[in-house]
Amino acid sequence: MSVPNSARTRLTRRITLGGLLAGVLGALSATALTGCGIAPTGVIDAGEPAHGLKAPGKPAPDVQLYFLGPTGLRPASRPATAPVGPEEAINLLLKGPNDAERQRGLTNVLPVLPGRVTAETEDGKVTVHVPMNAKRLDTPSMSQLVCTAANASVPGARSPSEVLVTLVGSNVRVGPMVCGGTNAFPFIQPSPSSTLPD
């Protein structure tokens, strides 16, 4: 099949123009990527996200309550007008999840307690007094109390994972414990021999 000369010329011009346009766009892209003077780098570890108290003049930190969800203990943030201490946070916890939290599948597994829960705080430590034998609380209930207390406003400027929480009830002490993310764990004091240099 023969192609007329005029059609062949138009086809050749289109191919040439298309190749020229692709070359120009490639050169512009390369110039745009390298022209800013910033050399490429590898992945830079920025560390953990910032946490702690908000700066003065900012709204008070939210209160973190810990409820049991379909995949384990989960935090639920609620707005607060002022810093919330452990006792107030635990009292909010005892009232159970609100509608939005229930829709997320969160539930309260704490038993119905026969009295009031109180909390004492000191530098990085919380003692929670429960109106029952503290050892009779199951692990999810202990985790709810410990993580809620540790994430409240505790004097001492420690991170929530470093706050020591002790449960006391019927002259029985459990702890100190720490909140390791979404569960409570016994606090293990490093032995003196492990801190000495080799």
Side-chain angles (χ1 to χ4, degrees):
M1 178 179 156
S2 75
V3 177
N5 279 343
S6 61
R8 188 176 297 155
T9 303
R10 279 185 278 171
L11 181 62
T12 304
R13 284 184 186 161
R14 284 186 184 161
I15 292 172
T16 304
L17 191 57
L20 181 62
L21 186 58
V24 169
L25 288 176
L28 287 174
S29 297
T31 302
L33 292 175
T34 59
C36 63
I38 299 173
T41 62
V43 176
I44 298 172
D45 185 12
E48 294 182 19
H51 57 82
L53 296 177
K54 294 178 181 175
K58 299 288 182 181
D62 296 340
V63 58
Q64 296 279 327
L65 308 178
Y66 282 77
F67 295 106
L68 196 65
T71 57
L73 208 63
R74 293 285 171 252
S77 293
R78 292 187 188 174
T81 56
V84 176
E87 185 173 316
E88 187 179 353
I90 289 172
N91 285 327
L92 290 171
L93 175 72
L94 291 172
K95 292 179 181 174
N98 61 25
D99 289 342
E101 293 157 354
R102 277 193 290 275
Q103 287 179 356
R104 288 175 49 202
L106 301 180
T107 185
N108 187 359
V109 294
L110 282 162
V112 176
L113 299 173
R116 192 167 165 251
V117 176
T118 60
E120 299 171 7
T121 60
E122 59 182 286
D123 191 27
K125 296 178 183 176
V126 181
T127 302
V128 178
H129 298 272
V130 293
M132 63 178 287
N133 183 333
K135 282 192 175 178
R136 292 196 173 189
L137 289 167
D138 59 14
T139 302
S141 298
M142 285 186 189
S143 292
Q144 278 192 266
L145 290 170
V146 170
C147 288
T148 298
N151 281 276
S153 180
V154 178
R158 289 189 188 180
S159 72
S161 64
E162 296 173 333
V163 172
L164 304 180
V165 180
T166 302
L167 303 177
V168 178
S170 300
N171 295 321
V172 174
R173 298 178 72 85
V174 178
M177 292 183 283
V178 292
C179 179
T182 57
N183 279 311
F185 299 98
F187 174 69
I188 299 172
Q189 179 75 36
S191 66
S193 62
S194 67
T195 58
L196 294 175
D198 293 331

